Amino acid sequence: IKEVLDQYDFKMSDIAIQNLINHIYISMERINKGHIIVPRGISLRKINIDISEEYQMAKQLCCTIEERMKFSFPDCETEYIAIHLAGKKMFQSDEGNFVVTQEVTDLVNEIIIKVRERFHLDLSGNLDLILGLSKHLVPMLFRLELYMNMRNPLLNQIKENYLYAYTISEYACSIIEKNYHRKVSDDEIGYLAACLNYMASEIARAE
């Protein structure tokens, strides 16, 4: 898997790579048992962003595994792997700048207002934190839209060590659930909590 990722210069964290390995392993186990699942009717034709590079990468990943393990992936499973890869994609403009839609901006503003009301914590003046939160939400919302679950192996540690950040994230995710009618997993809440805690620490260090 790393050979193919390196060939495309596709950067993923160790946790993201492990999630990808787990995903492919589960897919292979499912296919071996005759259960081929197209996720919630989602296909590349229904996605409004270009993930052609991820699809080519997924095809090469599948071909490599097929050659080495004498295994065959149906096209729909290759598409699902491409969608999984795209779930961690950073959304950028042609100039390389991070793209945040008005929809995400409105969601972030709603979260900030309601967090201030609930926790008496005003984040509205911290532009770095707002930008960091926006950057985190873009791929997270993409994963929610496609019903993708990204396992968080540090979840218990995050809950134990960053309880305040986790509580805020849990509340923020309840706002996301109401807006998008999707259940946000504890894993995603944990990732958001770790993100908020990291940004808060960096801001405090800079000050």
Side-chain angles (χ1 to χ4, degrees):
I1 289 175
K2 271 196 71 34
E3 288 176 14
V4 175
L5 295 178
D6 290 343
Q7 182 179 334
Y8 284 83
D9 195 28
F10 195 81
K11 306 299 182 186
M12 297 181 78
S13 68
D14 290 342
I15 291 174
I17 291 174
Q18 187 58 54
N19 275 316
L20 176 60
I21 292 170
N22 291 343
H23 169 82
I24 293 174
Y25 176 77
I26 291 170
S27 294
M28 293 174 69
E29 286 287 297
R30 189 176 67 245
I31 293 166
N32 274 332
K33 294 177 181 177
H35 302 298
I36 299 171
I37 300 175
V38 180
R40 306 273 182 168
I42 296 295
S43 76
L44 297 184
R45 293 175 293 280
K46 297 182 181 179
I47 300 174
N48 293 323
I49 64 169
D50 179 15
I51 62 170
S52 55
E53 182 183 14
E54 285 82 358
Y55 182 66
Q56 290 302 317
M57 201 181 332
K59 280 183 67 175
Q60 188 163 338
L61 274 171
C62 291
C63 286
T64 301
I65 294 171
E66 286 173 348
E67 289 172 1
R68 298 184 184 182
M69 304 185 68
K70 308 301 179 187
F71 191 86
S72 180
F73 286 93
D75 288 343
C76 61
E77 296 286 352
T78 304
E79 286 193 357
Y80 198 12
I81 293 172
I83 291 170
H84 187 97
L85 288 167
K88 55 81 57 190
K89 190 174 189 176
M90 296 298 286
F91 291 71
Q92 295 180 326
S93 67
D94 292 338
E95 292 76 28
N97 299 317
F98 192 88
V99 175
V100 177
T101 64
Q102 187 61 48
E103 180 183 337
V104 173
T105 299
D106 292 343
L107 176 62
V108 169
N109 288 336
E110 181 181 354
I111 288 172
I112 287 172
I113 290 169
K114 291 186 175 178
V115 163
R116 180 174 59 209
E117 292 172 353
R118 172 66 66 91
F119 297 94
H120 306 290
L121 178 65
D122 189 0
L123 305 173
S124 59
N126 198 313
L127 297 181
D128 287 338
L129 191 144
I130 291 171
L131 179 59
L133 178 58
S134 300
K135 284 184 175 182
H136 183 87
L137 287 181
V138 171
M140 175 183 170
L141 292 174
F142 180 75
R143 290 192 295 272
L144 288 179
E145 181 67 23
L146 299 181
Y147 297 92
M148 292 170 59
N149 183 44
M150 190 165 73
R151 193 180 70 85
N152 189 341
L154 301 177
L155 180 60
N156 290 334
Q157 291 173 244
I158 291 169
K159 285 182 176 181
E160 182 177 343
N161 297 325
Y162 312 134
L163 181 58
Y164 187 51
Y166 187 87
T167 302
I168 293 173
S169 296
E170 200 169 32
Y171 180 66
C173 287
S174 72
I175 297 169
I176 294 171
E177 289 178 343
K178 289 177 182 176
N179 278 276
Y180 289 87
H181 309 290
R182 296 283 195 275
K183 176 66 178 174
V184 181
S185 68
D186 287 353
D187 296 286
E188 288 285 9
I189 295 171
Y191 279 122
L192 179 57
C195 174
L196 289 175
N197 187 76
Y198 173 77
M199 288 187 292
S201 300
E202 288 296 300
I203 292 165
R205 189 177 295 113
E207 293 174 348

